[in-house]
Amino acid sequence: MELDFKQIATVSMVLFAVIDVVGSIPIIVDLRSRLGHIQSEKATIVAAIIMIAFLFVGEGMLKLIGIDANSFAVAGAFVLFFMALEMILGIRLYKDENPSTASIVPIAFPLIAGAGTMTTILSLRSAYDKINIIIAILINVIIVYGVLKSSGKIEKWLGVNGIGIIRKIFGVILLAIAVKLFAANVKGLFL
């Protein structure tokens, strides 16, 4: 394991696209208006712990239920593909229940460290060093914390159209990543 800034940058961008905290600003603002205060620190710390823990125990959990890393990576590619379609087309394929509190649920889980993020972390683990993934997770957690703290200001600054444009750009990036993950791992299913 060695530090590789290219890997850190790549993994950071992938996680940033999957977590989509900028695209979640309307949800965060809505939660703040309905429920009052959002516990940004608590939500951020819990999300970081969930993601880092899953990086280490996720593969063991897969082995326990008899799934290999290639199969999970291909499944992850499909999840990322559909998430990208949601972002690009502006549709919702997955619907959450209405939350009653705004700290750990729904912000830390599933908004930040949800199924897409977990799938991505395990998929990335097959191609990148753990230390680089951990650093990328921490970079994203810092960004998430900043966005949670200043979501109202960001929404006013970007406007509805700005948030929509950013969401679509990251959707296209995510779509390309999904195709790359699929292509890199699908061969391993038939060997």
Side-chain angles (χ1 to χ4, degrees):
M1 283 200 286
E2 65 178 61
L3 285 178
D4 182 336
F5 293 107
K6 185 180 177 193
Q7 281 192 15
I8 293 169
T10 302
V11 174
S12 294
M13 288 297 291
V14 170
L15 288 176
F16 185 78
V18 172
I19 293 170
D20 188 28
V21 72
V22 175
S24 299
I25 288 174
I27 298 166
I28 295 165
V29 169
D30 181 55
L31 286 171
R32 182 177 287 134
S33 68
R34 283 190 294 126
L35 306 170
H37 177 67
I38 290 178
Q39 297 172 322
S40 305
E41 296 86 0
K42 189 176 183 181
T44 306
I45 290 168
V46 169
I49 291 169
I50 291 171
M51 289 188 277
I52 292 171
F54 203 75
L55 175 65
F56 290 98
V57 246
E59 193 171 356
M61 288 170 47
L62 287 180
K63 285 181 182 175
L64 187 67
I65 56 175
I67 299 173
D68 64 284
N70 285 329
S71 298
F72 197 81
V74 169
F78 283 116
V79 170
L80 293 179
F81 179 81
F82 288 115
M83 287 176 66
L85 287 181
E86 284 184 344
M87 292 168 75
I88 294 167
L89 302 175
I91 57 173
R92 288 308 268 168
L93 299 172
Y94 174 76
K95 293 175 178 56
D96 287 327
E97 295 176 11
N98 288 332
S100 57
T101 60
S103 58
I104 294 172
V105 177
I107 295 177
F109 181 83
L111 201 61
I112 300 167
T117 307
M118 301 306 183
T119 304
T120 304
I121 287 171
L122 283 187
S123 301
L124 291 170
R125 188 171 177 219
S126 64
Y128 300 98
D129 287 335
K130 286 181 198 169
I131 188 70
N132 298 320
I133 297 172
I134 291 170
I135 292 169
I137 288 171
L138 295 176
I139 289 169
N140 273 278
V141 163
I142 291 167
I143 293 168
V144 164
Y145 177 74
V147 169
L148 288 176
K149 274 299 198 191
S150 56
S151 58
K153 293 176 189 172
I154 293 171
E155 185 190 35
K156 287 176 189 170
W157 184 70
L158 286 175
V160 176
N161 291 335
I163 290 172
I165 290 168
I166 289 171
R167 191 175 175 93
K168 290 192 186 331
I169 289 169
F170 278 102
V172 172
I173 291 169
L174 200 57
L175 192 59
I177 292 164
V179 170
K180 183 179 176 184
L181 261 175
F182 180 82
N185 289 285
V186 74
K187 298 170 206 153
L189 296 178
F190 303 105
L191 296 176

